[in-house]
Amino acid sequence: MQMTPDQIKQFRSEGWTCVPALFNAAETRTMRNEIQHLQASGRLRNVATDGDARTTSRTQFNLQLCPLSPHSEAFRCVPHLPSVVAAVDALIGVGSMLHLDQVFLKPPHTGAGTAWHQDNAYFHISDPTMGTAMWIAIDDATTENGTLRVVPRRQRDQLNHERDPFSDHHIRCFPEESEAVTVELEAGGAVFFCYGTPHCTGANPTQKSRAGVALHFVQGDALPGGGFPATDGLRHASISGPLADRALQQELRATWNRLVRSTEDAGA
């Protein structure tokens, strides 16, 4: 998949762009099945609190696993898929690395949102446009079930953040919400937004779960001192450029194709 000139222009001018159907139906089912397996095995934990930033809520649930790839064969493959590499290279340049990956699952009726924030408030790279999140809709993401919202053209603003009292580790900011865009997306689509773009997700009061997977990529030259939160020392960090391990990429892509074929054969 090649990013269109309009998508690249939108990312650079507005700080975000949308790619419907980045993953086909079988690929999306493969990721959904993997998240269900991780949930069933107790890997996802509730990060929502009762407003004191400490006490785990028993009424609201924002289930998260971060980092994700160390726990999942399937998600170790995703950053190296040709369509993903091509998209990231087009947006932030060749030589990108996986910075962090995570899943958020919002259960039916009680799914809690994630407050407004900028990723660069966590990552602190010098140029927030040199990092991008790829937010994958694992299920159809709608206004009703709390899909992603972004504030365009604020990617170079540095907003003040504070601890989010409704999460055990998140921070939050307060952008001008009247400027926000709600991004509805069918399962398998992805939203790319740079590290400086304010974004949030809403609650899920509907009858079905909604999951989203966020992979963060950064230009290697833009990294501050230290390693990667998720991938320090792991061979699969670089997805393009001279540091990318081509043999490993071929292996991961073959593994991905095997997993997707298995999903298709199972009719799941």
Side-chain angles (χ1 to χ4, degrees):
M1 188 224 76
Q2 297 294 323
M3 300 289 285
T4 68
D6 285 345
Q7 288 169 325
I8 296 170
K9 180 180 179 181
Q10 180 184 19
F11 181 84
R12 293 178 179 169
S13 63
E14 298 192 8
W16 75 285
T17 194
C18 185
V19 184
L22 181 62
F23 300 93
N24 64 34
E27 291 174 322
T28 305
R29 285 197 301 272
T30 299
M31 292 187 285
R32 185 181 300 118
N33 291 348
E34 182 71 355
I35 291 171
Q36 291 171 351
H37 168 73
L38 292 168
Q39 182 183 16
S41 63
R43 302 291 182 88
L44 278 62
R45 71 179 187 88
N46 185 20
V47 303
T49 68
D50 287 329
D52 60 3
R54 295 190 308 274
T55 306
T56 302
S57 179
R58 296 185 179 182
T59 59
Q60 295 295 305
F61 297 87
N62 187 349
L63 304 181
Q64 183 178 358
L65 177 59
C66 177
L68 173 59
S69 54
H71 301 276
S72 168
E73 181 180 44
F75 284 107
R76 274 195 296 275
C77 301
V78 171
H80 296 278
L81 300 180
S83 58
V84 174
V85 174
V88 173
D89 281 357
L91 296 177
I92 63 173
V94 175
S96 300
M97 302 177 180
L98 177 67
H99 201 181
L100 189 68
D101 54 3
Q102 55 195 311
V103 58
F104 294 91
L105 189 149
K106 312 299 176 69
H109 305 297
T110 57
T114 302
W116 285 105
H117 65 282
Q118 295 169 297
D119 289 339
N120 210 40
Y122 293 103
F123 294 139
H124 305 293
I125 66 173
S126 58
D127 182 350
T129 67
M130 288 293 99
T132 185
M134 179 180 73
W135 189 87
I136 307 168
I138 302 299
D139 306 290
D140 291 346
T142 66
T143 300
E144 290 74 21
N145 66 16
T147 189
L148 186 77
R149 301 177 71 203
V150 299
V151 180
R153 298 175 296 279
R154 293 293 181 264
Q155 62 269 28
R156 292 192 179 275
D157 294 354
Q158 186 173 340
L159 302 179
N160 292 325
H161 286 70
E162 62 182 36
R163 279 286 282 114
D164 181 0
F166 295 97
S167 169
D168 64 11
H169 71 286
H170 290 154
I171 56 179
R172 65 181 182 179
C173 64
F174 300 92
E176 179 51 66
E177 292 194 43
S178 65
E179 301 176 359
V181 174
T182 299
V183 188
E184 294 194 308
L185 203 60
E186 292 184 359
V191 185
F192 291 84
F193 52 91
C194 77
Y195 277 13
T197 297
H199 59 284
C200 73
T201 59
N204 177 24
T206 70
Q207 298 181 7
K208 295 182 178 180
S209 292
R210 181 187 63 74
V213 168
L215 283 74
H216 298 84
F217 300 93
V218 64
Q219 260 293 322
D221 293 341
L223 278 172
F228 315 143
T231 57
D232 190 21
L234 298 183
R235 293 171 59 218
H236 70 271
S238 295
I239 67 165
S240 66
L243 297 180
D245 187 328
R246 306 302 180 190
L248 179 62
Q249 281 193 323
Q250 291 182 357
E251 177 185 331
L252 291 171
R253 291 169 182 178
T255 297
W256 176 254
N257 291 334
R258 171 178 58 80
L259 293 172
V260 173
R261 285 196 302 270
S262 178
T263 299
E264 291 177 315
D265 292 342

